Amino acid sequence: MQTALPHIPVQANGWQENNLQLVATTNWQPYTWSINNVALAENLHTALAYWQGNRAEEGFGLFRSSLLESMYLGASPGNFQQLSFYDAVRGELYRDFADPIGMAARALVEGLFGVQPDALNGKLRIQPGLPSAWNHASLEVPDVKFQFRRQGNVETYSIQPSFAAALQLELTIPALKDDWESILLNGKTITAKSNTDAVGRPQLVITAPVAKSWNIVIRWKGRNIESPTWGRGGVTTVNADILKSYDPQQVIVSQKQTKRSFTGDKISVAGQYTFFLQMQQGRFSWWQPINFENKRIAIAVSKPNISDRSVFEQVEVPFNDKVTQIFSQRYLAPRPAVPTLQLPTQGIGNWCYPNATANIDDSGLRQSAGARNEVKSSLGIPFRTPADTLRNNILFTSMWENYPSQASIALKGKASHIWFLMAGSTNAMQSRLTNGQVTVEYADGSKDTLALKNPENWWPIEQDYMNDDYAFTTGAPLPERLHLKTGEFTTSKTKYDTIKGFSNRSIDGGAATVLDMPLQSGKELHSITLHTLANDVVIGLMAATLLRN
């Protein structure tokens, strides 16, 4: 298969283009943005999403690094690969693949240069996403010619449309300063306005009537735009006023705001967070994202001293299905009412292999449970599970309508630990986020929560994650797993099966995962709640065991 792009002349700071070969002509500072993905088209699609989200520097960093990797580190010079050679399973795959070629062209035109025609509404919208360090750039495609040049505080945009329909121009550009001296359109003074809904940096919106070409010259004046960030105890500004805040994640408590400061206490939960401050500087107002990260602090949790004298209590779990049924039904709602590359109805697979499934066989678990209806982990933790093959042995929750989204179990007394035996599904679209959670509530109303995160501790029933600390890492210790077909508890497995087109680390019969949750031993227990948070997953509890004080 041969695929070719039309010739697209491009010129910009540090780049010159000749027959689709991009050659660096200046020394660049390294970009640090990255995405854990080996599909070039998806990296380029993500770069476009950055541009659409008004994050031009991140968008260009990902766009540039992805193309350089493909064109210079791939098997063919100037190649648009489908997969990178970093793919630990398949390696680089296909030359000049249509998916990344199309996304490269779209990200270049719609993202970097921001050309977004809207002929149905009679408008040509252009919102360039050029890096702030660039002083000149140009693009020529069959429908439009675009040129940008900056000299000191003067910026010039020259646009020549060639669309079949006559279109008005709506040009949205980032503010260089907080005021302007003049704006000329084809030599005549015009007015413009600030985009008060802008996020990330202030924007100037210029509209122009239908014309054969537009030459727009902006003479900026005033102060540089301030970009406030979280400092010690809050946000302080010098030139910009803080109008109001918006905290959708509710991550700042005890908020205090003045004209030039915003303070408060950050929540202590580990993770990456964002809230927004509406800023006013000169003629511009915009919403400034304030990002911060709470690093996970490694707390040494002493392992419980398990002995013959340990007192365990097995929780009575209200099962609602058999674990073997997880992929033997149809998950039909909620789903989009339009064609998408959505998860197959059996709850496993992908658009290339819509009929994929996994063999889930709990015969070994049933046999190991025996007359006592109990199995023990490698630490000797007893888990209650029915041996009778006719009885249910898992409590499933899900956002799918097949199961409730959450379920609670009453508790009483005090305990220092609780162990869970869990099994369920997840997929690549739910990676690096919390799929669900187990919440233990105490009688005084306080709570402890165990977040079930793919891939840290929420592992799919049908396979193990690859964890080579290079192409992919879970970022967490390997959990103990119970292999359902053999009844064996283990933290390592050397032999895997294959699910064609889906996984090379499939576990015949499937596996459950053992999770340990320390408790506040001095508090009276009230309940456990199992709650699914992410779409397209099923989260199940097979057993829970308390270590009594």
Side-chain angles (χ1 to χ4, degrees):
M1 178 181 70
Q2 292 183 341
T3 307
L5 276 174
H7 181 69
I8 303 178
V10 178
Q11 293 183 341
N13 267 30
W15 292 95
Q16 63 184 21
E17 180 276 337
N18 181 25
N19 294 330
L20 293 179
Q21 291 184 350
L22 294 173
V23 182
T25 59
T26 61
N27 292 325
W28 284 87
Q29 295 297 317
Y31 284 84
T32 58
W33 303 283
S34 63
I35 183 171
N36 184 21
N37 201 308
V38 294
L40 178 58
E42 295 188 19
N43 285 340
L44 297 175
H45 211 151
T46 304
L48 177 59
Y50 272 124
W51 272 307
Q52 292 172 340
N54 202 27
R55 300 179 67 182
E57 304 298 331
E58 291 89 342
F60 179 72
L62 182 55
F63 178 78
R64 173 179 178 269
S65 61
S66 297
L67 288 183
L68 285 175
E69 187 276 324
S70 176
M71 293 183 171
Y72 291 93
L73 295 181
S76 173
N79 171 39
F80 288 87
Q81 64 199 9
Q82 187 211 14
L83 300 179
S84 165
F85 76 93
Y86 285 113
D87 189 310
V89 177
R90 307 185 72 179
E92 185 182 343
L93 196 65
Y94 304 134
R95 310 290 86 75
D96 291 338
F97 202 66
D99 291 4
I101 290 173
M103 278 313 307
R106 188 179 172 197
L108 173 71
V109 175
E110 294 183 34
L112 182 60
F113 287 91
V115 179
Q116 304 161 35
D118 183 8
L120 292 177
N121 292 301
K123 290 185 178 181
L124 171 58
R125 292 188 173 91
I126 298 182
Q127 184 176 332
L130 304 174
S132 58
W134 284 13
N135 289 319
H136 61 86
S138 65
L139 171 73
E140 182 178 344
V141 291
D143 292 316
V144 68
K145 294 180 181 179
F146 174 96
Q147 288 186 325
F148 161 76
R149 182 168 294 277
R150 179 190 299 132
Q151 293 178 306
N153 289 334
V154 179
E155 292 183 334
T156 302
Y157 292 86
S158 298
I159 302 162
Q160 182 178 334
S162 301
F163 296 94
L167 304 176
Q168 297 176 341
L169 175 67
E170 182 178 287
L171 176 65
T172 302
I173 59 174
L176 183 64
K177 302 285 186 178
D178 65 6
D179 197 358
W180 62 86
E181 182 178 321
S182 65
I183 302 175
L184 300 179
L185 170 62
N186 294 339
K188 296 182 179 180
T189 300
I190 61 169
T191 59
K193 63 180 181 179
S194 166
N195 177 16
T196 57
D197 292 328
V199 178
R201 54 182 179 175
Q203 294 175 332
L204 182 66
V205 181
I206 299 169
T207 57
V210 174
K212 291 183 178 180
S213 63
W214 300 283
N215 188 68
I216 299 170
V217 180
I218 305 107
R219 292 185 176 273
W220 297 98
K221 68 176 184 180
R223 298 161 297 182
N224 292 330
I225 299 297
E226 190 167 354
S227 298
T229 57
W230 186 274
R232 180 173 296 179
V235 177
T236 57
T237 62
V238 177
N239 298 320
D241 295 339
I242 301 173
L243 302 182
K244 58 184 178 180
S245 65
Y246 176 53
D247 185 9
Q249 292 180 294
Q250 299 182 354
V251 294
I252 306 297
V253 296
S254 303
Q255 298 180 9
K256 294 181 181 179
Q257 180 184 324
T258 68
K259 184 177 181 180
R260 293 291 173 90
S261 70
F262 178 88
T263 60
D265 297 322
K266 299 185 295 184
I267 64 171
S268 59
V269 180
Q272 296 179 328
Y273 301 101
T274 300
F275 67 96
F276 301 85
L277 296 178
Q278 188 179 35
M279 313 299 299
Q280 174 79 50
Q281 182 178 335
R283 295 204 201 189
F284 294 95
S285 67
W286 74 100
W287 288 95
Q288 180 68 36
I290 307 297
N291 307 306
F292 67 89
E293 180 179 5
N294 288 337
K295 302 229 180 248
R296 180 173 283 103
I297 300 175
I299 301 176
V301 178
S302 59
K303 290 186 177 181
N305 185 16
I306 306 299
S307 68
D308 293 339
R309 300 177 63 185
S310 298
V311 179
F312 296 105
E313 183 176 321
Q314 297 158 328
V315 176
E316 190 71 34
V317 179
F319 301 134
N320 60 5
D321 208 345
K322 298 181 177 67
V323 67
T324 54
Q325 298 302 302
I326 187 169
F327 301 132
S328 298
Q329 55 188 295
R330 289 167 60 80
Y331 298 98
L332 301 179
R335 284 182 176 269
V338 296
T340 70
L341 298 181
Q342 56 193 294
L343 193 70
T345 57
Q346 70 271 23
I348 186 175
N350 52 53
W351 68 281
C352 289
Y353 293 87
N355 297 319
T357 190
N359 175 41
I360 307 301
D361 179 354
D362 64 358
S363 58
L365 170 64
R366 300 277 193 178
Q367 183 175 1
S368 297
R372 292 178 58 85
N373 293 308
E374 179 183 285
V375 293
K376 288 188 177 182
S377 73
S378 60
L379 288 177
I381 311 301
F383 290 110
R384 178 183 297 171
T385 184
D388 186 350
T389 59
L390 298 179
R391 294 178 57 191
N392 292 337
N393 61 354
I394 195 165
L395 171 62
F396 279 138
T397 64
S398 180
M399 298 298 286
W400 296 116
E401 292 182 355
N402 304 54
Y403 301 109
S405 62
Q406 66 180 45
S408 296
I409 306 170
L411 296 178
K412 60 182 180 179
K414 298 178 181 180
S416 58
H417 275 262
I418 186 169
W419 287 268
F420 302 107
L421 184 62
M422 306 192 70
S425 64
T426 185
N427 55 71
M429 294 304 294
Q430 313 303 338
S431 183
R432 306 294 172 180
L433 56 85
T434 300
N435 287 203
Q437 62 188 27
V438 181
T439 301
V440 174
E441 183 175 355
Y442 300 95
D444 63 2
S446 61
K447 299 177 181 179
D448 283 326
T449 299
L450 174 64
L452 305 175
K453 295 183 178 180
N454 167 352
E456 293 179 19
N457 62 356
W458 185 241
W459 286 41
I461 188 173
E462 79 281 351
Q463 63 178 304
D464 278 350
Y465 289 120
M466 182 185 73
N467 189 27
D468 63 358
D469 289 326
Y470 178 69
F472 188 87
T473 179
T474 65
L478 298 179
E480 183 173 27
R481 308 206 78 191
L482 167 62
H483 291 254
L484 303 177
K485 190 174 181 178
T486 63
E488 173 191 15
F489 284 91
T490 180
T491 56
S492 62
K493 182 175 175 62
T494 58
K495 183 179 179 181
Y496 291 99
D497 290 347
T498 296
I499 301 175
K500 184 179 180 181
F502 184 74
S503 174
N504 291 328
R505 297 175 65 83
S506 171
I507 298 172
D508 183 27
T513 304
V514 178
L515 296 177
D516 175 17
M517 183 178 180
L519 301 177
Q520 300 180 52
S521 59
K523 291 188 175 184
E524 186 79 16
L525 295 167
H526 178 268
S527 63
I528 306 170
T529 298
L530 179 65
H531 191 185
T532 297
L533 301 176
N535 292 324
D536 295 352
V537 305
V538 177
I539 292 178
L541 177 64
M542 299 190 72
T545 300
L546 294 162
L547 177 60
R548 290 300 188 183
N549 296 341

